[in-house]
Amino acid sequence: MTSACTIRIIRKAGYSDFVRRYQIFANGIEVGSIARNSVLEFKVPSGATTIYAKIDWGLSAPLTVTATPEKRIEIEVSNNWGALLGLWAVTFGRKSYLILRPNDVA
């Protein structure tokens, strides 16, 4: 059996999209959704894993991480534009509406 890697997605308590959940995908498969001020954890097999987030029409750019056995990868998901730039986001920023940022984990 291949060892698995834990990926932990964190969403802080921001104002933008505060009542909506973000869908999280790993290698094209939905692994769950995350509300504001919460955490989503899931396991993936070792190797390259591509993660992206989605909310309705808005997406994040894909983030590829290398999963290794018994490693924990932590990623923060957030709205890239904020409430004031919402019009820009829905017209020109659809593919960068959300952003994934890897966090260093000790």
Side-chain angles (χ1 to χ4, degrees), residues 2 4-6 13 20 25 32 35 44-45 69 77 81 84 101 103 105:
T2 306
C5 172
T6 299
R20 299 163 64 204
F25 294 81
V44 296
V77 62
W81 298 102
L84 295 177
R101 292 182 188 95
N103 293 336
V105 177

Side-chain angles (χ1 to χ4, degrees), residues 59-81:
L59 303 167
S60 71
L63 174 68
T64 300
V65 296
T66 301
T68 57
E70 306 304 322
K71 180 179 178 183
R72 184 176 63 136
I73 297 171
E74 193 171 279
I75 300 167
E76 183 178 336
V77 62
S78 62
N79 179 302
N80 193 31
W81 298 102

Side-chain angles (χ1 to χ4, degrees), residues 5-103:
C5 172
T6 299
I7 296 183
R8 179 181 171 98
I9 307 290
I10 299 169
R11 181 174 171 199
K12 294 184 178 175
Y15 176 73
S16 297
D17 306 321
F18 72 97
V19 296
R20 299 163 64 204
R21 298 175 73 89
Y22 298 159
Q23 296 167 283
I24 306 297
F25 294 81
N27 294 330
I29 299 170
E30 185 174 356
V31 294
S33 64
I34 187 167
R36 81 185 262 257
N37 203 29
S38 60
V39 173
L40 172 68
E41 285 190 355
F42 56 94
K43 294 199 179 286
V44 296
S46 296
T49 300
T50 301
I51 300 166
Y52 72 92
K54 179 179 185 239
I55 181 171
D56 300 329
W57 43 263
L59 303 167
S60 71
L63 174 68
T64 300
V65 296
T66 301
T68 57
E70 306 304 322
K71 180 179 178 183
R72 184 176 63 136
I73 297 171
E74 193 171 279
I75 300 167
E76 183 178 336
V77 62
S78 62
N79 179 302
N80 193 31
W81 298 102
L84 295 177
L85 294 174
L87 182 57
W88 168 263
V90 299
T91 55
F92 301 105
R94 182 181 93 76
K95 292 184 179 178
S96 64
Y97 183 78
L98 300 174
I99 189 165
L100 298 172
R101 292 182 188 95
N103 293 336

